[in-house]
Amino acid sequence: MPILELNRRNVMAGLAVGGAALTVDRAAAAPVQVTLDEIKKDAEVACLYHCDYGDPDRFAQTLNNIGNHYSVYGADPFALQIVLVVHAGGIKFFLDSLDGTMWADEKLPPKLFARAEAISKTGLKVYLCEITFKRNQLDLSRAKQADFISFVPSGVATCATLQGKGFAYMKVG
């Protein structure tokens, strides 16, 4: 059996092939799906923000509140855990496009998702409701592709489950 020589060329080639495979796979896939049992309270203070509305101004205020929440706790990832549970009209903020949806005639400010993405670097996780996607006949792959976005079986069940695990509940508006 030939022994593969470990050199820069072989390592770079392996990384390139592996990276290309991951890129192709990721582009075709929807965000990961998590079960309610998989979501744990990992910080002393844990809070769920509930978004079941499609009003852009209200969503912007939710992001402001989440940003303010993080600003009090600083950079310690173990001090604060925030999740945003999204269902009903709130999912439109996390779709790759509104084309072919009930919101097709709307124009969302592109900065809204960019703000959510920026806040995610502080630790924010977004959980999208699978039931909402199914009821609106939207394929799960229509969700924006980002590491901080996952699917949960049900938005309302996630809210209740997380409260039972010690997450505080916040709803803006």
Side-chain angles (χ1 to χ4, degrees):
M1 174 179 239
I3 296 176
L4 179 64
E5 182 181 339
L6 186 60
N7 62 36
R8 185 170 182 250
R9 182 179 302 160
N10 289 340
V11 170
M12 295 307 287
L15 289 173
V17 169
L22 285 174
T23 301
V24 169
D25 185 53
R26 183 69 176 145
V32 298
Q33 295 173 292
V34 297
T35 66
L36 299 182
D37 288 339
E38 292 175 294
I39 305 172
K40 307 287 184 212
K41 183 179 178 206
D42 294 326
E44 183 177 331
V45 176
C47 185
L48 78 89
Y49 281 78
H50 183 190
C51 176
D52 62 351
Y53 44 83
D55 176 26
D57 291 334
R58 191 171 173 194
F59 185 66
Q61 185 59 51
T62 298
L63 295 176
N64 286 342
N65 287 8
I66 292 170
N68 292 344
H69 206 152
Y70 275 119
S71 73
V72 172
Y73 288 86
D76 181 0
F78 300 106
L80 176 64
Q81 177 183 6
I82 297 179
V83 301
L84 177 61
V85 179
V86 183
H87 65 103
I91 67 163
K92 73 181 183 182
F93 302 114
F94 296 94
L95 292 176
D96 61 358
S97 165
L98 298 181
D99 293 341
T101 71
M102 70 177 83
W103 309 290
D105 294 335
E106 295 183 33
K107 299 287 183 233
L108 294 177
K111 292 182 179 179
L112 284 178
F113 183 76
R115 286 178 60 203
E117 196 168 34
I119 295 169
S120 77
K121 292 175 181 21
T122 313
L124 176 67
K125 300 290 183 202
V126 173
Y127 296 119
L128 302 178
C129 174
E130 283 185 43
I131 290 174
T132 298
F133 274 72
K134 289 175 184 168
R135 286 201 176 141
N136 288 286
Q137 299 176 342
L138 295 170
D139 190 89
L140 300 182
S141 66
R142 294 284 309 268
K144 289 186 181 282
Q145 302 298 307
D147 290 338
F148 67 99
I149 300 174
S150 301
F151 277 102
V152 290
S154 163
V156 292
T158 300
C159 288
T161 299
L162 293 183
Q163 288 178 80
K165 293 180 179 186
F167 281 71
Y169 177 87
M170 299 289 289
K171 188 167 185 179
V172 174

